[in-house]
Amino acid sequence: MKMNLQELRTFLTIVDTGSLVRASEVLNVTQSTVTARLHSLEDQLGQTLINRSKSGATMTGAGVRLHRYADTIADLWRQARQETALPDGTSGVCNLACETDLWPELGEVFFHNLQRDHPDLAISVWLGSHADVAAWLKDGKSDLAFTHRAANSQRQGQIELDADRLVLVSTRPDSPLRFDPGYVFVEAGEAFGRDHAAAYADANTARLNFGNATVGLDHILRVGGSAYLPDRLVTNHIQNGTLSYLQDAPTFTRRVYLTFNRSARDGWAWLDSAVAQLAVNAS
């Protein structure tokens, strides 16, 4: 039985897009080509893999079973092709993704430690939103990622790191804890939203909201104000007096994870020591 990667990728794209038409658009081929590749794969396996209807394309039981292996095969081929093309003296590849807010004093430290301790490692870095990072992990663009959310795939493993401590800081040390006109709300996940609402049930709703802690920090540094931000993000500003902790304000936490694709992690003898070194830097 001869199965080619084009057919597997086509199957995966149909599953991801939920449509043979959309899969043809993503792959930039005709719909008849997508259909032919799917039929060829189904013929080789002797199983129907996709149920097609007006509402879209869904996996059959056989398709679900194949999907787990197809993802792994596609990932391994991508990694093999990438590593084969590396120059002599390169020991391996690390495609690192990081949610933007987790880069300062965390992802960046990890990256510089890898550069220092493993100069023979080829590293690429991608910064983005949680949705970006999740997509990059799923698509194989990255194999290791700093993220705030737990893994939701059997193909992924995860190491829980020290949680982010969210603290209330201000450009004015005498800012009020409640009813501060300069307060901006910085999104930090559903749990923080619930806890914040409970702690400040008697306070006004913030007039400004940011979905990104880095942008929120830049805003209050530029125009003044207060916000809940990760402690690691504001430490230097606290030390130089640009920002102050607001005493008696409640603090919150947000979980942080290092997520990896299991197929890639098997070749990373350096990962455990790199995580341990990250803990040393944080202490």
Side-chain angles (χ1 to χ4, degrees), residues 101 148 163-171 183-188 192 196 210-221 225-235 237-238 243-245 250-254:
D101 284 347
H148 281 299
D164 259 344
R165 180 170 172 262
L166 303 175
V167 294
L168 184 59
V169 296
S170 177
T171 52
Y183 178 72
V184 298
F185 181 84
V186 177
E187 168 63 35
F192 169 72
H196 182 279
F210 289 99
N212 179 292
T214 306
V215 176
L217 173 61
D218 288 343
H219 172 80
I220 65 172
L221 289 175
S226 61
Y228 269 98
L229 295 168
D231 201 9
R232 61 177 167 76
L233 203 63
V234 302
T235 299
H237 298 289
I238 295 293
L243 294 175
S244 300
Y245 293 119
T251 60
F252 306 97
T253 57
R254 190 179 188 188

Side-chain angles (χ1 to χ4, degrees), residues 111-124:
F111 166 69
H112 287 308
N113 286 348
L114 282 187
Q115 280 193 305
R116 180 195 65 210
D117 299 336
H118 304 279
D120 55 343
L121 192 65
I123 309 170
S124 61

Side-chain angles (χ1 to χ4, degrees), residues 52-87:
R52 281 149 280 186
S53 67
K54 292 181 179 179
S55 60
T58 58
M59 287 185 288
T60 64
V64 171
R65 292 189 291 274
L66 174 64
H67 188 266
R68 181 172 68 245
Y69 297 104
D71 261 341
T72 300
I73 292 167
D75 280 351
L76 288 173
W77 172 248
R78 178 193 54 77
Q79 292 164 19
R81 185 175 59 185
Q82 185 178 29
E83 294 195 27
T84 301
L86 292 173

